[in-house]
Amino acid sequence: MARPLSVAIVGPGMGGLATAAALMRVGVDVMVYEQAFRFARVGAGIQIGCNAMKVLRALGLEERMREHSFYPRSWNNRDWKSGDIKFDMIFGESAEEKFGAPYLLAHRGDLHAALASAVPELVKLNHKLVGLDETGEGVRLSFADGSSAVADAVVGADGVHSTMRDILFDTAPAKFTGRIAYRTTYPATLLVGKTIDDCTKWWGEDRHIVIYYVKSDRSEVYLVTSQPEPDFRIESWSAKGDVRDLRASFEGFHPEVGKVLAACPDVHKWAIMDREALDRWADGKVTLLGDACHPMTPYMAQGAAMAIEDAAVLSRCLDGIDRDGVADAFRRFEATRKARTTRVQETSRANIWLKERTDTSWVYGYDAWSVPLAA
């Protein structure tokens, strides 16, 4: 009996872990490598669209995510000052019936933990990639500690600042957009008896703020902003901002925004970067996926979803493939996914998603398990 195909995945974020879980479903041997010494639970929310939930369902994670996530009535888009509704995108049971899966709001840490539970013992920490070489044995990965590994194929899921992308291709650095974001989660009890809408994006003239619950019992609130600040260029999930500056930058917004910011105890701050999609994602038996090849600005809440979709499609392309078929499978994966990821990337960059009445079926109705694969 022929041995299973072996795939090394660099980067255990949402896309990397989803890829590992999806490849395991089709009998591929997988190992995931991470440069950090440990995982950190980042204080941030994440919107899990119906399209991403279809992938998570097949990975056996739907029940867990329903238990640990908030099930919103809608994504309500409102005017920053008057509170007038621009477009109320209804989710809940009607959207679940229409699109075939729920729309959930979660803590990023809860989604990451769920995906990690699907690939137990398959993540090697403290493995910083420094080199890739195709040999007669396969693709050799070299790490900063002097160790190495060999696999039939390698997948780079290491994000917008991908080391794999830099090894494979000559690419320009990420560009600062001139905008920054504040974000935080905090206990809803700090609202002192007040409540918030399920999920609201408050559209200002040159800035916005999104607010929603990330727990099924409404016990934790999340907020994230986008606003101009051309002199701040620190891109870090751990960098702190000044909550007083945050409140001042949204002074004059609707009182419902004010009460959420008044209760906010502290906040993180990071520069919003952007990068053009790559012309090609693969080189022989090595491919990129997710933000490593088609990075997304955060304005559609679809960055992780695109990487999770990538995982499902890639697993279909590699299903039943031996090591000699890997390069063709990677080209098929790219040809299947590129038009969709490009459209989402460009739509997100425009930052008008759901600002007015919008046809969302092309996003949320997509099913990565059944979409036709490219020839």
Side-chain angles (χ1 to χ4, degrees), residues 61-79:
L61 300 176
E62 180 177 6
E63 183 177 349
R64 175 170 176 160
M65 291 315 303
R66 284 183 184 269
E67 180 182 353
H68 291 282
S69 306
F70 184 69
Y71 187 65
R73 181 196 71 86
S74 72
W75 180 341
N76 197 357
N77 294 267
R78 301 176 66 181
D79 179 80

Side-chain angles (χ1 to χ4, degrees), residues 119-244:
V119 291
E121 311 302 324
L122 292 183
V123 179
K124 289 191 174 183
L125 300 174
N126 193 27
H127 278 67
K128 179 178 174 59
L129 184 73
V130 294
L132 285 172
D133 298 285
E134 282 205 35
T135 71
E137 303 173 83
V139 184
R140 180 175 299 278
L141 301 89
S142 301
F143 302 101
D145 64 357
S147 65
S148 64
V150 177
D152 296 324
V154 180
V155 175
D158 50 345
V160 66
H161 295 295
S162 170
T163 297
M164 288 234 341
R165 182 195 56 239
D166 292 343
I167 291 173
L168 293 175
F169 304 114
D170 182 18
T171 58
K175 298 178 294 184
F176 176 48
T177 62
R179 302 183 67 83
I180 61 96
Y182 289 98
R183 60 162 180 81
T184 193
T185 58
Y186 66 83
T189 52
L190 295 179
L191 291 170
V192 194
K194 298 182 176 69
T195 59
I196 62 172
D197 289 340
D198 285 2
C199 177
T200 304
K201 183 170 183 175
W202 299 87
W203 292 84
E205 295 172 354
D206 66 348
R207 64 199 60 206
H208 69 251
I209 181 169
V210 181
I211 303 167
Y212 55 83
Y213 293 111
V214 294
K215 295 289 187 181
S216 58
D217 60 0
R218 301 175 183 249
S219 62
E220 194 167 6
V221 174
Y222 172 63
L223 67 86
V224 62
T225 76
S226 173
Q227 63 221 72
E229 190 173 325
D231 296 328
F232 184 87
R233 294 173 179 263
I234 300 173
E235 187 190 11
S236 167
W237 282 94
S238 59
K240 286 285 191 176
D242 190 326
V243 71
R244 295 168 298 183

Side-chain angles (χ1 to χ4, degrees), residues 159-162 165 172 174-175 235 273-278 281 288-298 302-304 306 310 341-342 344-346 348-349:
V160 66
H161 295 295
S162 170
R165 182 195 56 239
K175 298 178 294 184
E235 187 190 11
M273 310 296 284
D274 196 8
R275 184 191 289 274
E276 295 300 323
L278 291 179
W281 302 351
L288 305 173
L289 63 69
D291 277 351
C293 54
H294 50 72
M296 304 280 164
T297 53
Q302 281 289 315
M306 290 300 103
D310 282 350
T341 58
T342 299
V344 173
Q345 184 186 45
E346 292 173 352
S348 183
R349 186 177 287 147

Side-chain angles (χ1 to χ4, degrees), residues 84-106:
D84 291 344
I85 295 174
K86 293 174 171 289
F87 176 49
D88 197 15
M89 175 61 205
I90 303 300
F91 285 116
E93 293 179 357
S94 62
E96 185 170 349
E97 181 177 351
K98 178 179 180 180
F99 299 124
Y103 195 103
L104 300 178
L105 307 176

Side-chain angles (χ1 to χ4, degrees), residues 46-52 75 103 291 294 296-309 337 340 344-345 348 353 362-364 366:
I46 189 167
Q47 302 191 38
I48 311 173
C50 313
N51 49 315
W75 180 341
Y103 195 103
D291 277 351
H294 50 72
M296 304 280 164
T297 53
Y299 304 133
M300 281 180 73
Q302 281 289 315
M306 290 300 103
I308 290 169
E309 287 181 0
R337 290 291 294 156
R340 175 167 174 80
V344 173
Q345 184 186 45
S348 183
W353 180 247
W362 69 273
V363 175
Y364 305 130
Y366 184 93

